[in-house]
Amino acid sequence: MNIVPTIIVIFGGTGDLTWRKLMPSLFDLHRDERMPKQFAIIGVGRTPCSDAKLRERFLAGVKRFSRKGMAKSADWNGFARHVTYQQGDYSDPATYSNLEKSCAKLEKDWKMKATRIFHMATPPALFGVIPKMLTDAGLNRDRAHVRLVVEKPIGHDLDSARKLNRTLTESFHESQIFRIDHYLGKETVQNILAFRFANPLFEPIWNRRYVDYVTLTVAETVGVEERGGYYDHAGALRDMVQSHLLQLLCLVAMEPMVSFNADEIRNKKVDVLHAVCPIRVGSVNECAVRGQYGIGRLDGRPVRGYRREDDISPHSPTETYAALKLFIDNWRWQGVPFYLRTGKRMARQVSEVAIQFRAAPHQSFPPESGRDWHPSCLVLSIQPEEGITLCFQAKYPGRRMLLRPVEMRFNYEESFGVPSPDAYETLLRDVMDNDPTLFVRADMVEAAWRLLMPVLEGWANDRPRGFPNYAAGSWGPKAADELLGRDGHFWRPSA
Ligand code: BG6
């Protein structure tokens, strides 16, 4: 248990992210005795609210979203007494002087300097305001004790991301800034490094000599839910590819780190983004596909199309699906295509990375032996299944040499018998421990935007024709299958 007293100030205290993710995770950390002995959580928001009302709302959130389920009242009461609310406008200096007073009082009671964590769980328009106000109030000064947590999206494009990074680093040192990409907190995502670099068996074949192509899929069955207002201005490329998918790409393609040092790992990751072959605005259609879902069926029930969702324009050109074909210009990956796709309202929720190995260089088996013959494939399942599967060929029992595909599986739950923590539990705990390994550095955010700018520009200049172009409950637009089909490749999982 961390002995440093900690004050967590959550801007956006009455907001959706705090309710759904932050408070259930903090409470679960508390239930697992992983919170500091002395801590306080101060929710800040514009809406009038009392401590009691806020705690009630958080308890409802815990009941709905906590990994560990319902709260025993003794556990909840023990936690809730640490939670208070402070109403205030984000651009009013009084909000920050009040915060300073609250923090100073807690530290006086604890007779110790506390770690102060300022978590911006607000709409992104405030990301530029809050750090400046914290600076004006002198709340940013103590580099050793003060941290700033920023949720995505970091910018809307390269320019705005640069501008925001400048604003953040004018107020805080980069080492104090924790940019969250919650995929990095998922156990299965962290396991990519463990799998690749703790097992010398795989590293020698993790390259262009043995790997034919790689597919990365993050498919969701949910639509835009209550976030239409945000999503319609973002779209799948900004919302998912710029962050989660490119982070996955980095972990799959990076060179081995020399040590488990946060910056060493992040340097190796950002090298991947720097090595991706730039996309030319003129050739976007050759390597990118966008889609938008229309009316369809999911789990046997009818689902409305994107343009009929709440807060979405009925003529919206926003993509709810994006697929990309990328090449990494380095010794390891020269010529190996990496196909990335993500979409909402797809047939099934699945996030996985599939490494498709090359075919055997020479086929010595009789042609009739391999009716179902496929080259070997290694699947890193991120969610909802959590594990790793190696698909390969085996001899089918009998007198004849018949080859059939089989699978060797590792499953987290079966192997370890312990539930995985929620990504936010891991990340919030890492902020308290001042461990930036799983957070996104400024240069990475900018490299990711730089890579996608030609696609964003290409798509902005060319209004999509034929939207909606995939039915809710399907695997996305046909053009995305053709993107791989042209190379003789297939998505995994396939339709
Ligand atoms: C968020 C996106 O970052 O990730 C959402 O903004 C998306 O649109 C979500 O639904 C997916 O996260 P997860 O953990 O449910 O796969």
Side-chain angles (χ1 to χ4, degrees), residues 278-342:
I279 297 167
R280 283 180 300 109
V281 180
S283 61
V284 166
N285 288 341
E286 289 154 36
C287 58
V289 171
R290 59 184 151 165
Q292 188 191 75
Y293 63 84
I295 189 165
R297 289 187 83 78
L298 250 167
D299 297 329
R301 53 183 183 90
V303 174
R304 60 187 163 168
Y306 175 71
R307 289 175 176 176
R308 289 291 170 89
E309 300 270 20
D310 300 340
D311 302 323
I312 303 296
S313 143
H315 308 289
S316 172
T318 302
E319 82 284 355
T320 59
Y321 177 102
L324 287 183
K325 170 176 161 181
L326 300 175
F327 286 97
I328 299 173
D329 230 349
N330 63 16
W331 276 54
R332 186 188 284 267
W333 295 119
Q334 195 61 238
V336 178
F338 284 76
Y339 304 99
L340 284 59
R341 69 171 165 172
T342 183

Side-chain angles (χ1 to χ4, degrees), residues 49-66:
C49 187
S50 63
D51 291 352
K53 273 252 150 4
L54 189 75
R55 290 172 187 161
E56 233 172 73
R57 177 171 160 78
F58 288 163
L59 180 59
V62 163
K63 285 182 183 154
R64 257 180 85 178
F65 303 112
S66 153

Side-chain angles (χ1 to χ4, degrees), residues 112-403:
M112 223 198 275
K113 210 152 179 46
T115 296
R116 296 180 182 187
I117 297 172
F118 296 105
H119 194 131
M120 295 198 286
T122 58
L126 291 163
F127 292 175
V129 177
I130 294 167
K132 279 193 187 140
M133 297 302 293
L134 287 167
T135 309
D136 291 349
L139 278 156
N140 64 332
R141 265 186 225 132
D142 186 344
R143 210 192 264 190
H145 289 92
V146 177
R147 282 156 222 164
L148 181 73
V149 182
V150 193
E151 294 284 344
K152 68 178 263 280
I154 310 286
H156 189 70
D157 53 17
L158 179 58
D159 280 349
S160 55
R162 276 190 182 136
K163 198 163 152 236
L164 177 56
N165 279 334
R166 250 195 323 272
T167 308
L168 298 177
T169 49
E170 269 161 22
S171 305
F172 290 83
H173 187 262
E174 179 65 28
S175 62
Q176 295 174 274
I177 304 170
F178 290 73
R179 295 176 193 79
I180 289 196
D181 179 321
H182 77 281
Y183 265 59
L184 297 180
K186 292 182 192 274
E187 286 292 322
T188 42
V189 172
Q190 293 180 64
N191 189 46
I192 297 175
L193 285 194
F195 179 77
R196 288 193 54 199
F197 302 130
N199 301 292
L201 182 63
F202 296 100
E203 191 44 26
I205 56 167
W206 210 263
N207 57 47
R208 63 190 300 272
R209 195 153 168 220
Y210 295 96
V211 176
D212 193 10
Y213 65 100
V214 179
T215 61
L216 291 93
T217 295
V218 177
E220 299 184 277
T221 50
V222 290
V224 289
E225 300 175 290
E226 300 87 36
R227 297 162 69 232
Y230 148 77
Y231 194 88
D232 210 31
H233 292 103
L237 202 68
R238 288 188 169 91
D239 183 48
M240 297 292 285
V241 180
Q242 192 276 341
S243 48
H244 312 322
L245 275 103
L246 288 180
Q247 287 296 326
L248 286 177
L249 174 74
C250 290
L251 291 166
V252 171
M254 68 188 258
E255 293 301 314
M257 61 274 177
V258 173
S259 67
F260 213 73
N261 169 279
D263 270 325
E264 164 61 10
I265 294 175
R266 297 189 296 175
N267 288 343
K268 289 292 192 306
K269 284 174 63 186
V270 81
D271 277 352
V272 174
L273 298 180
H274 291 150
V276 172
C277 292
I279 297 167
R280 283 180 300 109
V281 180
S283 61
V284 166
N285 288 341
E286 289 154 36
C287 58
V289 171
R290 59 184 151 165
Q292 188 191 75
Y293 63 84
I295 189 165
R297 289 187 83 78
L298 250 167
D299 297 329
R301 53 183 183 90
V303 174
R304 60 187 163 168
Y306 175 71
R307 289 175 176 176
R308 289 291 170 89
E309 300 270 20
D310 300 340
D311 302 323
I312 303 296
S313 143
H315 308 289
S316 172
T318 302
E319 82 284 355
T320 59
Y321 177 102
L324 287 183
K325 170 176 161 181
L326 300 175
F327 286 97
I328 299 173
D329 230 349
N330 63 16
W331 276 54
R332 186 188 284 267
W333 295 119
Q334 195 61 238
V336 178
F338 284 76
Y339 304 99
L340 284 59
R341 69 171 165 172
T342 183
K344 296 221 179 267
R345 287 287 191 229
M346 291 184 63
R348 178 155 70 83
Q349 188 213 1
V350 55
S351 298
E352 66 172 46
V353 178
I355 317 287
Q356 299 279 354
F357 291 97
R358 288 189 186 283
H362 168 65
Q363 283 308 330
S364 38
F365 295 104
E368 62 276 18
S369 64
R371 218 170 1 99
D372 291 336
W373 194 87
H374 293 288
S376 308
C377 173
L378 182 78
V379 181
L380 311 176
S381 300
I382 288 158
Q383 64 186 29
E385 203 183 312
E386 299 187 320
I388 296 178
T389 308
L390 182 62
C391 314
F392 59 102
Q393 298 296 311
K395 182 186 173 302
Y396 186 80
R399 196 178 55 80
R400 291 166 58 210
M401 176 52 82
L402 293 179
L403 300 175

Side-chain angles (χ1 to χ4, degrees), residues 462-473:
D462 180 16
R463 230 185 128 78
R465 278 154 289 202
F467 269 14
N469 60 351
Y470 71 99

